[in-house]
């Protein structure tokens, strides 16, 4: 059993604490994706698992072994870097076999393993080339191949696709998904691409400022976020947020929306402020003059209407047709209250 | 043992890698600096016993005309050597074009830097030589009387500096050429749209970008100026009557030449030179420190 | 990008420029050309005052004379004896120090680094008296290895600055990737860093070669006989003998300048890369 | 198995080099079991190198200058006492004339092998050209200078870039103005440089400056030789070793002339300048026995005769014969009749540091006579420090 | 009147011709966007308008002036670079005022104009900072401010937002749209971001290999492309293309789709091959087993299903719900033939 378990893991750089006691379990064979805003500690956490950064507190276990202070080499992990980190002076085959060679494996064994990895990744034609002579996608494949060859228990990826252009990114994404299905190892993957996270993950870990905000399957996070941060972070375009006041049992007034609205979740005390969240595709245009059209973005298949409420709050509406509206027109909005989410104004926790 | 090595490999490795280089450098550079300071408080002819005389050497320096001549010449060197910076920049700008054979031209322009200062000194001695030297004749043709530059206390230092400038300009030129290579084309274009041309383009847009090159050019020029020994030694031996001495040469003369062998006094001169240089070294280190720590 | 590409100017100014460059070059190299010309001038020309005109004959025998009548060959060999071990030694040491300073984070890292840098810029006159004593007491005075050892130590300062910055500029992920793969530190040095440093090593070798070949000061301080003196010091003492024999002085000068110049031309790319890498960084 | 005797010397000019090679060959012929390895160094470099090789890697035999220049080395224990060589070979009598300058602490340290006179060499053709008579007094000399000047000829030439040639001029002016005893007192630091008698010497020098080659500070002594050879200059104050250079330039016994430096003050007895060169055994020599044999060999009358004939200089051994070269004969004649005394040379009689400061002062005076006061003050300051 | 008119504009680098006689008119106050694949000559064309590249042939007019060979400074244009090209050694205010200073304007006037631009761009708090101390978005604003200050007749933008992260990009896009409304100058804008092009442009110019493929309003290009290239280039995810054979008057057979299909456009001769195009949102799942599910991407609001037909042709279906399908399942597809477009197989021109 080769899951990865972090317990109250802490990282400090001098006085600055960047990871604040993270608890996390990644199951055996699971594909786990770390997402979060830039600087939230995704890479740091991953590198701590790899052993490239010391752990300042807490413990890290891989399988049954406590590896908190183990050398990277002894953890049984392989890492794929954003920059690929291929050795430029070695051929593809040498790159892939280097780790084994250095740890004293016999040549025939190395050759066999390299051949196998190259078959999986369709690199057979490039084995004797130097990395310089490869395209970005091929390089990324070699980097993955280098990881595979060593047969690690855990794969770590740090934004492996962010240096590729959009088209290749899609292609390699499919490739990685296939790889995971094929070799079934535990994988931890850092990205800040929504689509990668949503499509690859078994489990997404949303991080903010060195803390875990929520852990769960992609659509669970989308449909059922625990707090405003996760709700706003997952999904594109982002969820609309408006302030509302509790004005009765099961009702709120949201001046930025349609005013008085019944809601189904448990609300705080009368007069308290809550934040309502509504995804752009759940908002519709309606009769009225409560909102002003600020911008219209027609992308062909879908259009976005940017509105501003009289409160100054901004809303985005997604629609399938191109609305026949001018900038500055006044419109109303409508929605199905079932789609509403509510968050506590202070703690930003979801009210259910 | 191997367990210890395994766990502490990363902590020990840097020191093992550093050991040989650090040892050599300590032995031959760092420790001698302190030894020199120590020797400067002694009276020692290099043969017999050294005698501790405190600051006497420095007191004597205070009242030594030759020392002031050398110091004055060093200041002149420093000031005039700085001309290498603008001159190198001008040549670099002049050559920063792409025409056929430009690479070759650039390398030929760079030639003087590769040549030993001894050879440069001999070349310029020939250039200045009275009666048949190229420069002497040129001067004679222009003004009617030739001047033996290296025998005239008014001109000798300048004559040597010109010889020194020749390779130094070449050096600065190459620094600027590579600096110009790295000038951000988009800023130049932006400035072009902004209507900057010629000198104003150079002053407002190019020079600020060349700051790293300028910095290093100034540093190597300062060091070159203060270290100047070869040319003085080859071209004039400090003469005529000591008027072209610089500190580094005077130090050598006092410590190791035929009529010298005053090790302590020489060391004292070296310490003064070191103190002057330390101003610049500190500046350099300070800038590096800033660059390193802000990353 | 700056100045305006000449190709964008009018045809006459382009032509003007194409003429101006070689003319400037000619003026720039005038002392060198003069000496080169003098080195093949027969002694009789000098005696007759033909200092500037074309030589009446190409007297390559001046060079033969230099080799025959003076220890020039010995001097040049000595120079190689000093220069080559220095290049090898300084590069080897500085690869190691540069690696240690660039890759590892340890408390005194920057201090050690700055010590190398500062030592490198010290006026070397301050080292003269102690280094001479040290060399004397080691029994290495007036030997090529005494001179080479000092050069190795001193150049290590400069080379460390250079190497450290170069390695620092390598992607650190390469080291990390190797560490994750379980490669020992010295193997990382040997199998990953050294191969990647090849351009730096080449550049630095050329640079150190010219520095050492052209050194005069230490040659004067640490050697004194024709059997050990490098060519710079040798040339200086020959200059004392060749009074008024400018054709020989010139030939000797050209000979002494030749190896670094040849080196420069062969390794031009590395050389310039070296200067800028080492300096502008 | 041959024993090796290492001999380091600075005799690198062609003529002396050949002479010494011959001497070594003769020695080896007499002592077939000894192999002399001669290491020849550049003359100027030798003066600094000797310090280093004496402490680090001493040869068995080397050459140097006696008197003042010898003293610091003897003090530092770097020379081997060779009094026994003197005693065993009767050198105390044969080399009696130079005994004082090789003796320190009542022991002998060096074996002198040659000396040579200084004086005025001149181009007879130039004299004929302006119809000048060979001068005996300073007034006549200066009068001749007027004539030379009118003809566009430098009356006096020299090359001072290495400083020492002009020390010869100073010495002679000083010897002729103030005499030998004053010279000794001055070089021993017993007389202040600001003394009026020193000023008197410089006053005489000032008279000849307008007639001296202009760019002397830019050239070496060898560079000035062609000026004499080509008749662009008339007189040259030099040592006898220069004769070889004049003759190589094409002068003959007919065109080259020699005269003792002219008389300035007739009341002062004539004194001359004749530096002596010598060999010694370093304290660290490995093959001392053969080195002493070599010392004795060099001291021998017949050996000195042969060596000095080749060198074109004068032997020290009283039993040796002087070559029949007219300049040598003239010099020998001049020196052996000198009533005043024989000086070594400014830079050998004065301590090295003083010599350096002094010669720089002379050079500055030659270029900028108006600085005389400042120069003398500087020299006096140096004297106060150096002789304390 | 300060439109920009290109007439038979040609650009050659040595022997290589990169712009092949482009004719284009950008009206006064119009917002014109150049799009096209990488290397098609967008930047080159823009830089020719700016005067940063010589024009090898044809003429360029700005307003009534022929500026084909004029100096960049004299054209009355301002350019915003992808890299911002701020002068790093000058403060924000100096950066913005530099152009006026170079053209000799008096200091008070410069100060006034800088103050105004900084107000428009909300840069007042940063005027004394150096660019290094600014965030990416702020830098971009300074770059725009520098352009505004000079009061040019024409603004040129070369991928001004491509160095910003996704969130900022949206924000700055809105900013640029507002700017255009506010100052109403002619703008030419290069991008390869679909959304930017669609939302900002009055007029899109699609370039390919140095030639103009089509010019028109964004939705016109989306709805009515002239050829296959434009159809495939505009819209994301891209249009699905399948091969079909004309099998009767007004009908074609597309084996990659549903087989026999009536179409409304004019077709070539019987038996000829045409290419059918259908946007992902116009394809629907249906009963059947003609297509295999290759990949499923659930992004929350929208899902994409990647199918492969038996012919090997790939199709992407966009749907609003998350389809309950496994990889490898077999499905059928359906569509409204009215949405079909057809293109000539050779010339790739649209058949209407
Ligand atoms: N060596 C270091 N010293 C001090 N602080 C550091 C160091 N490395 C990283 N940090 C800080 O740690 C925090 C987390 O950094 P990390 O690189 O893990 O972020 P990230 O989530 O990977 O961001 P990105 O998406 O930009 O890659 C940041 O605030 C960063 O400033
Ligand atoms: N200086 C040059 N010399 C030769 N060819 C050039 C030069 N500059 C650009 N090109 C060529 O001109 C063509 C157009 O380049 P351009 O930069 O305009 O493309 P682009 O559309 O802006 O591409 P991108 O989207 O990548 O910025 C390219 O094929 C390029 O290779
Ligand atoms: Mg990261
Ligand atoms: Mg472009």
């Amino acid at each position: 059993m080769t899951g990865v378990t972090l317990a109250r893991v802490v990282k400090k750089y001098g006085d600055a604490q960047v990871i604040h006691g993270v608890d996390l379990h990644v199951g055996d064979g699971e594909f786990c994706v770390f997402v979060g805003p830039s600087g939230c500690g995704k890479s740091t956490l991953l590198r701590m698992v790899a052993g490239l950064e010391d752990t300042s507190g807490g413990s890290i276990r891989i399988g049954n072994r406590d590896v908190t202070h183990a050398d990277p080499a002894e953890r049984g992990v392989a890492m794929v870097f954003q920059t690929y980190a291929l050795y430029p002076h070695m051929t593809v085959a040498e790159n892939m076999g280097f780790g084994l060679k250095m740890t004293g494996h016999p040549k025939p064994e190395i050759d066999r393993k390299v051949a196998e990895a190259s078959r999986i990744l369709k690199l057979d034609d490039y084995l004797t080339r130097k990395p310089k002579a490869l395209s970005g996608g091929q390089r990324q494949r070699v980097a993955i191949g280098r990881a595979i060859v060593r047969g690690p228990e855990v794969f770590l990826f740090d934004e492996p696709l962010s240096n590729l252009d959009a088209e290749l990114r899609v292609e390699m994404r499919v490739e990685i998904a296939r790889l995971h299905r094929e070799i079934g190892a535990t994988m931890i993957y850092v990205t800040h691409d929504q689509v990668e996270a949503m499509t690859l993950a078994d489990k997404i870990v949303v991080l903010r400022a060195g803390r875990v905000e929520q852990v769960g399957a992609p659509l669970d996070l989308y449909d059922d976020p625990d707090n405003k941060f996760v709700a706003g972070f997952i999904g594109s375009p982002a969820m609309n947020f408006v302030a509302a006041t509790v004005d009765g049992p099961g009702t709120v007034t949201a001046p930025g929306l349609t005013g008085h609205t019944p809601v189904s979740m448990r609300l705080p005390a009368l007069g308290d402020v809550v934040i309502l969240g509504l995804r752009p595709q759940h908002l519709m245009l309606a009769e009225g003059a409560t909102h002003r059209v600020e911008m219209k973005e027609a992308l062909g298949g879908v259009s976005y209407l940017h509105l501003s409420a009289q409160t100054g709050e901004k809303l985005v509406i997604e629609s399938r047709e191109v609305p026949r509206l001018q900038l500055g027109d006044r419109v109303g909005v409508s929605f199905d209250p079932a789609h509403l989410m509510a968050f506590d104004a202070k703690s930003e926790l979801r009210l259910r | 043992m191997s367990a210890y090595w395994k766990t502490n490999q990363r902590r020990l490795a840097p020191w093992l890698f550093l050991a040989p280089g650090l040892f050599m450098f300590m032995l031959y550079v760092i420790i001698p600096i302190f030894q020199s300071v120590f020797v400067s408080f002694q009276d020692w002819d290099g043969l017999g016993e050294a005698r501790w005389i405190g600051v006497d050497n420095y007191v004597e320096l205070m009242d030594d005309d030759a020392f002031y001549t050398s110091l004055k010449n060093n200041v002149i060197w420093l000031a005039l050597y700085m001309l290498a910076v603008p001159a190198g920049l001008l040549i670099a700008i002049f050559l920063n074009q792409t025409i056929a054979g430009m690479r070759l031209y650039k390398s030929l322009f760079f030639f003087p830097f590769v040549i030993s200062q001894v050879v440069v000194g001999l070349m310029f001695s020939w250039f200045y030589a009275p009666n048949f030297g190229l420069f002497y004749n040129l001067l004679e043709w222009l003004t009617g009387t030739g001047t033996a530059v290296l025998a005239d206390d008014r001109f000798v230092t300048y004559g040597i500096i010109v010889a020194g400038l020749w390779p130094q300009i070449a050096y600065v030129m190459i620094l600027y050429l590579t600096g110009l290579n790295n000038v951000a084309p988009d800023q130049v274009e932006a400035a072009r749209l902004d209507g900057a041309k010629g000198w104003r383009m150079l002053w407002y847009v190019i020079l600020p970008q060349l700051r790293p090159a300028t910095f290093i050019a100034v540093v190597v020029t300062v060091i070159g100026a203060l270290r100047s020994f070869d040319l003085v030694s080859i071209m004039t031996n400090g003469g005529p009557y000591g008027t072209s001495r610089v500190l580094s040469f005077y130090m050598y003369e006092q410590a190791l030449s035929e009529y010298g062998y005053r090790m302590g006094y020489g060391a004292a001169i070296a310490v003064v030179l070191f103190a002057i240089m330390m101003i610049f070294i500190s500046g350099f280190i300070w800038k590096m420190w800033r660059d390193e720590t802000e990353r | 990008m700056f100045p305006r590409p000449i190709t964008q100017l009018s045809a006459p100014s382009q032509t003007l420029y194409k003429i101006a460059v070689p003319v400037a070059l000619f003026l720039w190299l005038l002392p060198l050309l003069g000496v080169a010309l003098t080195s093949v001038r027969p002694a009789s020309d000098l005696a007759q005052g033909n200092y500037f005109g074309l030589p009446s004959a190409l007297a390559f025998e001046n060079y033969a004379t230099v080799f025959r009548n003076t220890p020039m060959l010995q001097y040049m060999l000595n120079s190689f004896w000093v220069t080559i071990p220095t290049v090898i030694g300084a590069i080897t040491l500085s690869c190691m120090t540069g690696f240690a300073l660039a890759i590892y984070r340890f408390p005194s890292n920057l201090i050690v680094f700055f010590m190398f840098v500062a030592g490198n810029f010290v006026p070397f006159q301050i080292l003269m008296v102690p280094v001479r004593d040290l060399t004397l007491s080691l029994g290495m005075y007036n030997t090529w290895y005494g001179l080479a050892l000092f050069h190795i130590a001193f150049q290590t300062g400069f080379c460390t600055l250079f190497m450290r910055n170069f390695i620092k500029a390598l992607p650190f992920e390469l080291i990390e990737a190797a560490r994750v793969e379980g490669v020992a530190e010295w193997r990382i040095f040997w199998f990953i860093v050294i191969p990647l440093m090849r351009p730096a090593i080449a550049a630095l070798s050329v640079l150190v070669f010219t520095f050492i070949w052209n050194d005069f000061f230490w040659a004067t301080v640490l050697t004194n006989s024709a059997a050990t003196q490098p060519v710079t010091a040798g040339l200086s003492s020959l200059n004392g003998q060749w009074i008024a024999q400018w054709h020989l002085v010139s030939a000797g000068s050209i000979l002494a300048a030749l190896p670094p110049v040849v080196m420069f031309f062969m390794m031009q790319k590395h050389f310039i890369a070296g200067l800028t890498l080492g300096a502008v960084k | 198995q041959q024993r090796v005797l290492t001999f380091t010397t600075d005799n690198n000019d062609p003529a002396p080099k050949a002479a010494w090679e011959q001497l070594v060959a003769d020695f080896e012929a007499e002592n077939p079991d000894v192999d002399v390895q001669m290491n020849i160094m550049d003359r100027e470099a030798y003066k600094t190198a000797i310090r280093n090789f004496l402490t680090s890697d001493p040869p068995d035999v080397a050459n140097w200058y006696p008197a003042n220049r010898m003293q610091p080395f003897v003090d530092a224990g770097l020379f081997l006492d060779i009094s026994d060589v003197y005693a065993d070979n009767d050198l105390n009598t044969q080399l009696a004339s130079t005994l004082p300058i090789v003796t320190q602490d009542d022991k002998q340290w060096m074996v002198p092998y040659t000396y040579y006179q200084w004086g005025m060499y001149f181009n007879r053709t130039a004299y004929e050209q302006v119809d000048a008579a060979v001068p005996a007094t300073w007034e006549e000399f200066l009068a001749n200078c007027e004539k030379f000047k009118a003809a566009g000829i430098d009356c006096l030439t020299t090359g001072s870039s290495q400083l020492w040639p002009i020390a010869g001029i100073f010495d002679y002016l000083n010897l002729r103005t103030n005499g030998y005893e004053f010279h000794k007192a001055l070089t021993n630091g017993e007389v202040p440089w600001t003394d009026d008698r020193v000023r008197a010497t410089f006053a005489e020098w000032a008279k000849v400056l307008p007639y001296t080659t202009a760019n002397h500070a830019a050239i070496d002594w060898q560079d000035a030789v062609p000026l004499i050879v080509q008749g662009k200059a008339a007189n040259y104050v030099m040592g006898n070793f220069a004769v070889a250079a004049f003759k190589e330039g094409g002068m003959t016994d007919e065109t080259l002339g020699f005269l003792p430096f002219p008389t300035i003050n007739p009341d002062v007895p004539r004194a001359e300048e004749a530096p002596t060169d010598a060999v010694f055994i370093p304290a660290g020599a490995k093959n001392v026995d053969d080195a002493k044999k070599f010392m004795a060999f060099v001291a021998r009358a017949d050996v000195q005769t042969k060596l000095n004939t080749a060198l074109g200089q004068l032997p020290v051994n009283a039993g040796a014969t002087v070559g029949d070269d007219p300049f040598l004969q003239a010099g020998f004649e001049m020196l052996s009749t000198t009533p005043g005394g024989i000086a070594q040379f400014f830079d050998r009689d004065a301590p090295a540091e003083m010599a350096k400061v002094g010669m720089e002062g002379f050079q500055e005076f030659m270029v900028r006579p108006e600085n005389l006061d400042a120069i003398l003050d500087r020299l006096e300051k140096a004297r106060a420090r150096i002789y304390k």
Side-chain angles (χ1 to χ4, degrees), chain B residues 165-187:
Chain B
L165 276 175
W166 191 48
Q168 191 66 26
I169 289 174
Y171 189 10
V172 171
M173 175 201 84
I174 210 82
L175 292 176
Y176 273 122
L177 269 178
T178 34
L180 283 171
N181 245 345
N182 297 331
V183 160
D186 57 352
Q187 282 182 44

Side-chain angles (χ1 to χ4, degrees), chain A residues 38 170 173-174 177 181 194-195 198-199 218-219 222-223 235-236 279 281 294-302 306 318 320 322 327:
Chain A
S38 188
V170 174
R173 198 170 76 207
V174 176
R181 279 202 307 278
Q194 284 270 338
V195 180
M198 297 298 283
T199 55
L219 288 180
Y222 184 85
D223 294 332
S236 163
R279 296 207 180 270
Q281 71 265 35
E294 291 289 327
M295 189 166 59
K296 198 175 84 173
E297 297 181 336
L299 302 184
V302 55
H306 295 245
E318 179 181 323
R320 300 269 104 191
V322 183
L327 301 194

Side-chain angles (χ1 to χ4, degrees), chain C residues 3-236:
Chain C
R4 198 78 181 263
I6 193 82
T7 44
Q8 293 181 8
L9 297 184
S10 63
S13 29
Q14 285 193 36
T15 317
L16 196 68
Y17 180 75
K18 281 177 192 161
I19 296 169
V21 171
V23 169
L25 182 65
F26 174 78
L27 291 175
W28 180 242
L29 293 183
L30 206 54
L32 183 63
L33 293 175
V35 167
L37 208 61
T38 308
S39 77
V40 291
R41 208 179 272 289
S44 56
D45 278 21
L46 293 181
Q48 289 157 12
N50 177 8
Y51 288 106
F52 302 113
L54 285 178
S56 59
L58 284 185
F60 289 109
E61 68 263 21
N62 288 345
Y63 287 89
T65 311
V66 167
F67 278 121
R68 205 170 331 107
N69 295 353
T70 71
M72 194 65 187
L73 191 64
Q74 182 67 45
Y75 288 142
M76 295 190 69
L77 287 178
N78 293 339
S79 274
F80 280 110
W81 266 114
V82 173
T83 305
I84 290 172
T86 302
V87 170
I88 294 172
I91 302 274
T92 309
L93 292 187
S94 60
C95 278
M96 288 164 44
T97 51
F99 177 76
L101 293 174
I103 297 297
Y104 298 94
R105 254 186 272 158
F106 54 94
S108 41
N109 184 315
L110 271 189
I111 295 175
V112 173
F113 178 51
F114 287 150
M115 192 192 73
F116 278 115
V117 175
N120 168 42
F121 287 135
V122 147
F124 37 57
Q125 282 79 14
I126 197 171
L127 309 178
M128 182 182 87
V129 171
V131 165
R132 180 179 159 276
D133 282 345
L134 177 67
T135 309
L136 275 171
S137 60
L138 290 175
M140 296 188 197
Y141 183 80
N142 199 25
T143 59
W144 64 264
Y145 46 89
L147 188 53
L149 271 185
F150 169 77
H151 279 316
I152 290 174
F154 193 75
Q155 292 301 322
T156 297
F158 171 73
C159 296
T160 299
L161 164 66
F162 184 104
M163 289 293 191
R164 184 261 190 192
N165 284 345
F166 186 88
I167 300 176
K168 195 98 188 168
L170 291 178
F172 192 63
E173 283 92 353
L174 290 180
I175 315 296
E176 294 193 321
R179 281 189 183 154
V180 173
E181 291 200 273
V183 183
E185 298 298 310
W186 69 270
R187 280 171 188 262
I188 293 180
F189 173 68
W190 186 252
F191 287 104
I192 297 186
V193 175
I194 290 286
L196 294 179
M197 274 159 70
R198 246 181 262 153
I201 291 175
L204 211 45
S205 305
V206 194
L207 213 54
V208 173
F209 181 94
T210 40
F211 284 170
I212 302 305
W213 184 277
N214 290 338
D215 163 72
F216 173 60
F217 182 79
W218 290 103
T220 332
V221 173
L222 295 181
T223 62
N224 61 30
S225 68
T228 46
Q229 270 184 337
V231 69
T232 43
L235 196 59
S236 160

Side-chain angles (χ1 to χ4, degrees), chain B residues 34-45:
Chain B
F34 294 99
Q35 283 175 326
S36 248
V37 176
F38 182 72
V39 170
S40 75
F41 294 112
Q42 294 181 327
D43 178 23
W44 184 36
D45 66 358

Side-chain angles (χ1 to χ4, degrees), chain B residues 49-243:
Chain B
E49 282 298 299
R51 198 162 54 85
W52 185 267
I53 55 166
V55 294
D56 282 8
N57 282 326
Y58 293 95
V59 172
E60 190 187 331
L61 262 190
M62 292 292 107
D63 192 32
D64 181 349
D65 295 332
F67 170 71
Y68 287 111
T69 308
S70 314
L71 195 61
K72 188 191 87 198
N73 281 340
N74 256 28
V75 172
I76 298 177
W77 267 84
L78 209 51
L80 291 188
Y81 230 46
M82 282 301 153
L83 288 178
V85 178
L89 176 64
L90 284 188
I91 299 185
I93 288 173
F94 176 64
L95 292 181
N96 192 35
Q97 296 284 4
T98 39
I99 58 169
M102 205 53 186
R103 258 178 80 99
L104 184 68
Y105 284 134
K106 284 180 188 169
S107 355
L108 288 173
F109 261 97
F110 189 53
F111 238 88
F113 179 70
V114 211
I115 298 175
S116 162
Q117 297 232 326
V118 173
V119 176
V120 171
L122 289 177
M123 282 179 189
F124 274 81
S125 303
W126 174 88
F127 197 58
Y128 290 140
N131 303 324
F132 62 88
L134 200 51
F135 181 76
Y136 185 93
N137 278 278
L138 204 66
L139 220 60
E140 200 166 35
W141 180 68
L142 283 176
T143 65
T145 51
T147 305
V149 172
L150 296 184
D152 191 313
D153 58 8
R154 288 166 303 171
F155 307 128
V156 61
T157 295
Y158 303 100
I160 302 175
I161 292 175
V162 167
L165 276 175
W166 191 48
Q168 191 66 26
I169 289 174
Y171 189 10
V172 171
M173 175 201 84
I174 210 82
L175 292 176
Y176 273 122
L177 269 178
T178 34
L180 283 171
N181 245 345
N182 297 331
V183 160
D186 57 352
Q187 282 182 44
V188 178
E189 290 180 340
R192 203 166 278 166
L193 281 165
D194 274 342
K197 282 201 196 96
W199 285 108
R200 289 199 294 179
M201 174 75 97
L202 180 66
W203 182 253
Y204 288 109
V205 182
I206 305 297
L207 272 186
Q209 292 191 67
L210 290 177
R211 225 174 265 167
T214 306
F215 176 75
I216 202 70
V218 168
V219 168
V220 296
T221 306
V222 166
I223 290 170
L226 290 180
R227 275 184 183 170
S228 49
F229 167 85
D230 300 8
L231 288 174
V232 176
S233 168
I234 288 292
M235 293 176 73
T236 64
N237 240 307
Y241 39 92
T243 49

Side-chain angles (χ1 to χ4, degrees), chain C residues 132 136 141 221 224-226 229 237 240-241 243-244, chain D residues 12 39 41-42 49 51-53 55-56 220 222-223:
Chain C
R132 180 179 159 276
L136 275 171
Y141 183 80
V221 173
N224 61 30
S225 68
Q229 270 184 337
S237 39
Q241 296 171 30
I243 304 294
Chain D
N12 68 340
N39 175 22
M41 295 176 61
D42 172 58
R51 300 241 168 186
N52 303 323
F53 70 68
T55 45
S56 66
D220 286 313
Q222 292 97 326
D223 292 319

